[in-house]
Amino acid sequence: MIEINKTAIGIAAGVAGTLFIGYCIYFDKKRRNDPDYKKKVRERRRRNRKSGAAKPGMPNLNDHEAIEKYFLQEIQLGETLIARGDFETGVEHLANAIVVCGQPARLLQVLQSSLPAQVFAMLIVKMQEFGNRAAESNEGLGIRSGQADNSTNILEANSGSAIIDDLE
C-alpha cells in the first residue's frame, strides 16, 4: 500500500489553490479590460433601478411573491426584536414592512392597537424619515412632490393628537 505524505497533500492543495486564484485574477482582468464592460455595468444598474430594487435587501417591487416574503420576514423580525426590547431595530424592520405593504394605512392601524404607544411613536418618526428621504431623492431626480410617495399623507392621517396624548 502506498502511504501519502501529509506534506505532499498540503503542497498539492496549496498549488491547486494558487492556480485557482490565478485563474480568477486572469479572467477578472480580462473581463474588466473588455471595452463593453462599463457599458454593461451601467445598463445593469439602470435595469435594477427601473425594476424597483431600490437598495440591497429590498425585494424586486415587480415580483409579488418576493414582496410578500420580504413583508412577512420584516414583520416577524420587527416583532421579535421589539419583544426582546430592541425597539429601534424592531421599529426599523416594521417600517421596512410598511414601505412595501399594499395597504399601509390598515397596517398602521393594526400596529397602533398592538404596539405600546412609545414604540408606535418611534415607528411614526421612522416613517416620516423615510418619507423625507424619498422626497429628497425624488427632488434630485426631478420628480415633482405630487408624484412622490404618499406615505407622508398616510402618516399625517394616522399620527393625530391621540398618539401624542398617549405619550404625555
Side-chain angles (χ1 to χ4, degrees):
M1 223 173 168
I2 300 174
E3 190 173 314
I4 299 180
N5 186 330
K6 286 184 181 182
T7 307
I9 292 174
I11 291 172
V15 168
T18 304
L19 288 174
F20 178 74
I21 290 173
Y23 173 83
C24 292
I25 291 171
Y26 169 76
F27 279 103
D28 185 56
K29 184 174 181 176
K30 188 175 180 179
R31 177 182 59 98
R32 287 177 182 260
N33 288 334
D34 181 19
D36 293 333
Y37 174 71
K38 288 183 181 181
K39 183 178 174 183
K40 289 177 186 177
V41 169
R42 282 190 212 106
E43 192 62 36
R44 183 177 50 233
R45 288 178 183 165
R46 194 174 301 125
R47 269 195 320 266
N48 285 343
R49 248 184 273 130
K50 286 182 181 179
S51 71
K55 61 182 183 179
M58 289 290 286
N60 180 350
L61 297 179
N62 296 327
D63 184 4
H64 182 68
E65 288 182 22
I67 292 171
E68 187 175 334
K69 181 180 177 183
Y70 178 78
F71 172 78
L72 293 173
Q73 171 188 339
E74 290 296 301
I75 289 287
Q76 184 178 25
L77 192 54
E79 288 176 347
T80 303
L81 290 168
I82 288 172
R84 289 184 189 162
D86 187 2
F87 298 121
E88 289 184 29
T89 310
V91 163
E92 190 169 324
H93 286 284
L94 290 177
N96 290 339
I98 292 170
V99 167
V100 299
C101 180
Q103 298 176 337
R106 289 182 70 193
L107 179 59
L108 281 170
Q109 288 174 346
V110 169
L111 290 173
Q112 183 177 11
S113 64
S114 63
L115 292 175
Q118 292 83 0
V119 176
F120 186 74
M122 289 172 63
L123 179 62
I124 294 297
V125 169
K126 180 62 78 173
M127 291 304 299
Q128 287 172 339
E129 288 174 9
F130 281 2
N132 292 342
R133 235 181 280 147
E136 288 173 5
S137 67
N138 287 340
E139 288 173 8
L141 295 173
I143 299 173
R144 292 189 314 266
S145 62
Q147 297 172 326
D149 185 23
N150 65 355
S151 62
T152 54
N153 296 336
I154 294 167
L155 292 174
E156 290 169 1
N158 285 305
S159 61
S161 60
I163 297 168
I164 296 170
D165 291 342
D166 289 341
L167 294 175
E168 294 177 348

